[in-house]
Amino acid sequence: MGMGSFLILKYSERAVDMNKCVNLMDVSPGQRALVKGIELKGSMRRRLLDIGLIENTEIECLGRSPCGDPSAYLIRGAVIAIRSEECRRIRVCAR
Amino acid sequence: MGLTHNSVGIGAVDSGLVLNKKSPLDKVVALAGNPNVGKSTVFNGLTGLNQHTGNWPGKTVASAQGACEYRGENYVMVDIPGTYSLMAHSAEEEVARNFICFGKPDAVVVVCDATCLERNLNLVLQTIEISPRVVVCVNLMDEAKRKNIKIDLPLLSKRLGVPVVGTTARKKKSLQALLKVLSETIADEKRQEAFKVRYCGEIEAAISSLEECVSEKCGGRLNARWLSLKLLDADESLLREISAFLGEEFLRDRELSEKIEAAKARLAESGIADTDALKDSMVSSIVKSAESICAGAVVYENRLYADKDRRLDSILTGRRFGYPVMIALLALVFYITITGANYPSQLIADGLFKVQELLTELFARVGAPDWLHGALVLGVYRVLAWVVSVMLPPMAIFFPLFTLLEDSGYLPRIAYNLDKPFKRCNACGKQALCMCMGFGCNAAGVIGARIIDSPRERLLAILTNNFVPCNGRFPTLIAILTMFFIGSAGGAFSSVLSALMLTAVIVLGVATTFAVTKALSKTLLKGLPSSYTLELPPYRRPQIGKVIVRSIFDRTLFVLGRAVVVAAPAGLIIWLMANITAGGSSLLAHCASFLDPFARLMGLDGVILIAFILGFPANEIVMPIIIMAYIAGGTIQDSGSIWQMKELFVENGWTRITAVSTMLFSLNHWPCSTTLLTIKKETGSWKWTGLAALISTAVGVAMCIVFTALARMLS
């Protein structure tokens, strides 16, 4: 993890450095972004909404599992791990 | 007559929850809440029961109930599984929703996590929509205080329109306030106006177009506003329950159906075309309401409140240290278990075998016949003594250590670390949690598989749980390792060595789990990994004293009790088999020699195989049975010493090959009867139960045969 974990410790205020929307996998550990849309269907969509992942919710990537997948995110005060397949279908934007 | 299986429709997960009311005046209180907010701790504190607690989401998979008394009033508390929402997308969420909606509890206590209150309000707001009497219990106030999170409880109560109580469930005293408010809420008829979530204009219009008609048709048995909303949403499982609760004619009602269709059409015109869009909009409104309720009432004074957790996570789940720490922790647990168990084991053995001598003397003095002394003392008592002295000390140390890990919040991190390997096997990372539970008891691991939502992945977890050795098999493994691979050198180093070897055995078990999971998901249980979210809870300092007491009394003694119950008749059988002769040799010798050729192929002998067969009801008795059988047929006198035990084994032809094969077979053979019955209960099918037994046995037999053949070839 190296640099990534350093950034977590420092609680970086650095936001996603892009103007256009990207997916959640593009948010590196230590970065924050705003959720813009969830392109998932069914129960996974429900579950993400239930934990409060609605439009304009702030999400921060905290780190990745030792194998690089899944990643842990801070969502409304809780730490939730989400697999890369699902992350790619969550659109986010710079804060 | 309270609730029955049918009226609550809980059958999907529970084998029927029947409330035990002592009198019809007893009040039923449901304990709801997000996963891992300390619901079970609140439940235990209120009822004095010892429902298993632990710091990981999904731990309570079935409803539990207990009684509690406050100022002359009796309450039946029902601990329902944790859920994020009542929109039900998994079996346990359905249980929770059905109980709150149709179980008609007198009140619902929604337990919330003070450190993460805003998210918890999602469930609170949904519960308030359904239930007229709700009490919000903001738990873990001590943790919030430590993290400098300020919560204005009176303001929250004012905004929500329901009573809000702060508690620290670990400290029982704080629960008195909850009981007081609860009794007031149940008794008090003049309630405040509860907060109503305002949905977007279109949905509100649709609700009001239905509400009157719904109210009339359901006759006040359910909240009309909520029911209108749910009829628009048309969730199938919920419609089934509604129909069962209100009667089939309710949903078939012409006037109502027409109104629903009309409302849906209007919604579609305004852009809310399907139930997905409807649900999205509903959830957004709820989350935004939660946001505005918390604004100013919950203040995070320190942005870095979770800094310590982040730092720990960066080590425990980091790329560099994640896996090494996992293995090191496992080895450490074993090291403490092995070192700690040595001395008491010897002490207990010495004591119990002294008692045996006394018993023998006593039998001789009263002139009891030889066969009675043999059957009771040399049969029943001796095997019990072995079970207690070999099994009790490692268990009494391992269980508390394991509980400490469980309470600290480390287990979900294991699931997080192992998710990718499990995904490669087309399985779910939460299977790692079941695997960890399996270390304690495989039956518990099988029940724990309920936390996995996908039925296919849940079956994978159930069928492979037996590949991690349960607590009943650890002592066998430890004893064999100590006798045959460590030597009598003693000292700290030998304990380290056996801990490392045991860790290697466990890693082999985990590797087998992965291999079999993968093989199954390529053949019988084909499918792609499903998506899921895993919550990583905050780390918590376990209450060490309490954990030790609890795990010894709740788990260790329970498991030991079961082993003793099984060991007594097994001891008798072995003694009888060893002493009833037919055709010049004992029954035991006959059976052993019958099984011997096959057992030899696996590197075992007939006696070992008999011991595993007799150990079917409880793995704990395998070792004692082997010892008993050898003693019955040999000359060595029994004493507690492990080195005399080794002598006995070597005299009966044990080599290192036998030792390894026995360990392999202990790791992989049929699950014990309790586990198999649990699998039957969980899968509802004898086919899967049989398969579970077949797979583990086949793997074990194959491993033993291959290992023995290779080892004999090389030596």
Side-chain angles (χ1 to χ4, degrees):
Chain A
M1 212 186 283
M3 195 61 186
S5 56
F6 178 68
L7 284 172
I8 294 171
L9 300 185
K10 294 284 285 189
Y11 253 85
S12 151
E13 288 290 328
R14 198 156 60 97
V16 177
D17 188 24
M18 257 173 262
N19 288 321
K20 62 177 198 314
C21 287
V22 290
N23 72 52
L24 193 51
M25 272 317 274
D26 299 319
V27 182
S28 319
Q31 289 186 324
R32 297 181 189 186
L34 292 182
V35 172
K36 286 298 166 189
I38 300 175
E39 292 157 0
L40 289 155
K41 288 255 165 264
S43 69
M44 187 61 184
R45 180 187 188 85
R46 301 262 75 80
R47 171 96 47 202
L48 291 174
L49 290 171
D50 281 344
I51 56 178
L53 212 63
I54 59 168
E55 199 177 322
N56 287 327
T57 303
E58 189 184 72
I59 188 165
E60 178 180 338
C61 180
L62 296 177
R64 306 209 196 280
S65 154
C67 285
D69 187 25
S71 309
Y73 298 94
L74 185 65
I75 302 168
R76 293 183 191 270
V79 183
I80 311 280
I82 308 176
R83 281 177 174 170
S84 57
E85 286 84 350
E86 278 77 48
C87 288
R88 289 209 179 81
R89 307 183 64 181
I90 298 173
R91 277 187 301 119
V92 297
C93 235
R95 278 201 315 152
Chain B
M1 163 69 235
L3 297 160
T4 63
H5 183 90
N6 293 330
S7 68
V8 193
I10 258 165
V13 163
D14 262 354
S15 50
L17 177 76
V18 180
L19 290 176
N20 300 320
K21 279 190 175 187
K22 281 190 210 112
S23 102
L25 291 174
D26 288 2
K27 305 290 184 220
V28 177
V29 178
L31 283 181
N34 281 187
N36 207 45
V37 294
K39 263 192 318 300
S40 298
T41 317
V42 172
F43 177 81
N44 289 346
L46 289 173
T47 60
L49 289 177
N50 297 315
Q51 178 78 344
H52 177 195
T53 59
N55 184 10
W56 52 284
K59 179 199 56 53
T60 306
V61 282
S63 308
Q65 57 178 317
C68 133
E69 199 241 310
Y70 182 75
R71 300 211 172 140
E73 242 354 307
N74 285 316
Y75 299 90
V76 179
M77 300 284 171
V78 183
D79 184 17
I80 52 183
T83 59
Y84 292 111
S85 145
L86 294 176
M87 296 192 182
H89 359 165
S90 69
E92 73 249 31
E93 287 190 10
E94 217 167 284
V95 173
R97 182 202 64 195
N98 289 348
F99 190 74
I100 293 174
C101 298
F102 310 113
K104 286 281 161 202
D106 293 283
V108 182
V109 174
V110 186
V111 184
C112 296
D113 178 349
T115 65
C116 180
L117 197 54
E118 190 186 305
R119 203 219 26 220
N120 285 236
L121 286 189
N122 184 4
L123 183 69
V124 172
L125 292 173
Q126 291 188 41
T127 313
I128 292 176
E129 278 188 332
I130 302 169
S131 177
R133 287 189 212 89
V134 175
V135 175
V136 175
C137 162
V138 181
N139 193 28
L140 304 169
M141 286 299 274
D142 55 337
E143 210 168 300
K145 196 175 164 198
R146 235 187 351 263
K147 292 178 172 170
N148 283 319
I149 303 171
K150 288 264 147 55
I151 301 169
D152 188 341
L153 296 172
L155 182 60
L156 275 178
S157 174
K158 204 175 138 218
R159 286 182 179 170
L160 283 168
V162 299
V164 177
V165 192
T167 60
T168 301
R170 288 173 165 199
K171 300 190 182 94
K172 256 191 179 170
K173 264 189 202 152
S174 69
L175 292 175
Q176 286 302 310
L178 175 64
L179 277 173
K180 183 166 172 284
V181 171
L182 190 59
S183 72
E184 284 167 6
T185 309
I186 292 177
D188 190 8
E189 293 303 328
K190 45 179 203 305
R191 303 185 286 277
Q192 316 164 245
E193 185 69 26
F195 181 89
K196 266 198 198 120
V197 178
R198 289 278 147 216
Y199 298 100
C200 67
E202 294 83 3
I203 297 181
E204 285 296 338
I207 294 175
S208 33
S209 76
L210 291 179
E211 204 172 340
E212 201 179 317
C213 179
V214 167
S215 163
E216 189 189 307
K217 306 276 183 215
C218 85
R221 279 177 290 171
L222 289 170
N223 179 316
R225 182 181 157 85
W226 174 79
L227 189 51
S228 309
L229 195 63
K230 293 299 145 181
L231 289 172
L232 290 170
D233 182 23
D235 177 80
E236 255 180 53
S237 78
L238 185 58
L239 288 185
R240 258 199 318 276
E241 296 299 332
I242 290 174
S243 167
F245 186 74
L246 293 174
E248 281 177 19
E249 63 284 355
F250 178 76
L251 289 179
R252 288 211 200 109
D253 187 272
R254 192 82 164 281
E255 190 194 347
L256 186 60
S257 313
E258 277 165 12
K259 285 204 163 167
I260 295 173
E261 286 317 309
K264 276 188 183 165
R266 274 196 302 278
L267 277 177
E269 272 168 38
S270 55
I272 303 177
D274 53 7
T275 62
D276 260 359
L278 180 72
K279 273 194 180 128
D280 278 13
S281 169
M282 276 161 46
V283 176
S284 296
S285 304
I286 296 172
V287 174
K288 278 180 194 145
S289 302
E291 236 172 56
S292 64
I293 288 170
C294 283
V298 181
V299 182
Y300 292 78
E301 289 187 336
N302 177 11
R303 281 289 304 153
L304 301 177
Y305 67 94
D307 206 27
K308 222 189 256 170
D309 278 11
R310 296 297 102 77
R311 222 172 300 186
L312 263 174
D313 268 341
S314 73
I315 298 168
L316 297 180
T317 66
R319 174 156 292 190
R320 199 169 313 157
F321 295 113
Y323 293 130
V325 168
M326 234 162 67
I327 301 218
L329 270 175
L330 197 64
L332 180 70
V333 166
F334 292 144
Y335 172 74
I336 300 176
T337 306
I338 292 170
T339 321
N342 252 338
Y343 185 67
S345 216
Q346 191 60 54
L347 216 61
I348 293 174
D350 288 348
L352 289 177
F353 286 106
K354 273 221 181 79
V355 172
Q356 186 187 321
E357 282 165 30
L358 291 180
L359 279 176
T360 304
E361 238 170 77
L362 185 75
F363 271 72
R365 196 165 303 166
V366 297
D370 258 2
W371 62 266
L372 191 65
H373 168 255
L376 290 185
V377 177
L378 300 181
V380 176
Y381 179 83
R382 191 156 60 180
V383 86
L384 285 182
W386 278 112
V387 167
V388 173
S389 64
V390 177
M391 295 293 159
L392 179 63
M395 259 193 240
I397 297 171
F398 180 81
F399 264 145
L401 287 176
F402 180 78
T403 315
L404 285 179
L405 272 186
E406 201 185 340
D407 280 6
S408 70
Y410 183 62
L411 296 195
R413 269 77 187 181
I414 297 181
Y416 177 62
N417 286 345
L418 290 180
D419 182 65
K420 183 118 186 230
F422 273 114
K423 192 169 87 183
R424 288 229 175 93
C425 304
N426 293 349
C428 175
K430 286 187 194 167
Q431 193 174 332
L433 284 172
C434 314
M435 212 165 71
C436 292
M437 291 313 289
F439 283 128
C441 164
N442 290 126
V446 168
I447 296 176
R450 288 179 184 180
I451 56 170
I452 300 173
D453 294 335
S454 141
R456 184 188 69 86
E457 290 167 4
R458 199 177 135 199
L459 259 177
L460 285 174
I462 290 176
L463 294 181
T464 55
N465 194 272
N466 193 46
F467 290 113
V468 290
C470 66
N471 204 35
R473 290 185 268 167
F474 275 131
T476 305
L477 297 172
I478 293 175
I480 295 177
L481 277 173
T482 312
M483 283 188 294
F484 285 90
F485 297 93
I486 309 302
S488 51
F493 180 69
S494 74
S495 295
V496 173
L497 200 62
S498 40
L500 288 179
M501 282 186 179
L502 189 54
T503 310
V505 174
I506 303 310
V507 171
L508 176 71
V510 174
T512 317
T513 305
F514 279 118
V516 174
T517 305
K518 179 142 199 173
L520 280 172
S521 66
K522 293 279 174 219
T523 52
L524 278 177
L525 290 164
K526 259 189 207 145
L528 293 171
S530 68
S531 52
Y532 83 112
T533 56
L534 174 74
E535 184 168 358
L536 304 176
Y539 290 101
R540 288 184 189 134
R541 190 185 299 268
Q543 300 163 284
I544 294 176
K546 205 169 170 186
V547 161
I548 292 176
V549 173
R550 279 281 141 265
S551 52
I552 287 185
F553 283 96
D554 296 351
R555 293 191 181 187
T556 312
L557 290 186
F558 170 76
V559 172
L560 190 75
R562 190 189 67 147
V564 164
V565 167
V566 172
L572 187 63
I573 291 175
I574 269 290
W575 186 84
L576 289 176
M577 281 171 74
N579 287 280
I580 296 175
T581 49
S585 57
S586 70
L587 277 182
L588 183 66
H590 278 302
C591 288
S593 64
F594 173 74
L595 289 171
D596 216 48
F598 181 62
R600 296 270 168 215
L601 205 61
M602 292 165 53
L604 311 173
D605 65 31
V607 168
I608 304 174
L609 211 48
I610 289 178
F612 275 109
I613 292 168
L614 283 175
F616 174 61
N619 277 299
E620 288 86 345
I621 66 168
V622 169
M623 222 30 190
I625 293 286
I626 296 177
I627 300 169
M628 278 281 301
Y630 285 156
I631 289 175
T635 53
I636 289 186
Q637 279 307 299
D638 47 332
S639 80
S641 158
I642 195 161
W643 304 118
Q644 254 167 316
M645 216 158 101
K646 183 184 178 183
E647 230 176 277
L648 178 71
F649 281 23
V650 171
E651 189 187 67
N652 281 278
W654 276 52
T655 61
R656 284 192 170 186
I657 296 178
T658 326
V660 172
S661 297
T662 309
M663 285 198 292
L664 284 177
F665 201 64
S666 166
L667 198 58
N668 315 291
H669 68 287
W670 49 86
C672 73
S673 57
T674 314
T675 306
L676 280 178
L677 284 176
T678 311
I679 295 176
K680 165 68 178 64
K681 212 169 138 203
E682 292 298 303
T683 61
S685 125
W686 284 112
K687 192 186 82 178
W688 290 118
T689 312
L691 198 67
L694 192 69
I695 292 172
S696 340
T697 310
V699 168
V701 170
M703 260 191 196
C704 287
I705 290 179
V706 170
F707 167 78
T708 307
L710 282 178
R712 283 188 185 143
M713 218 157 63
L714 293 175
S715 62

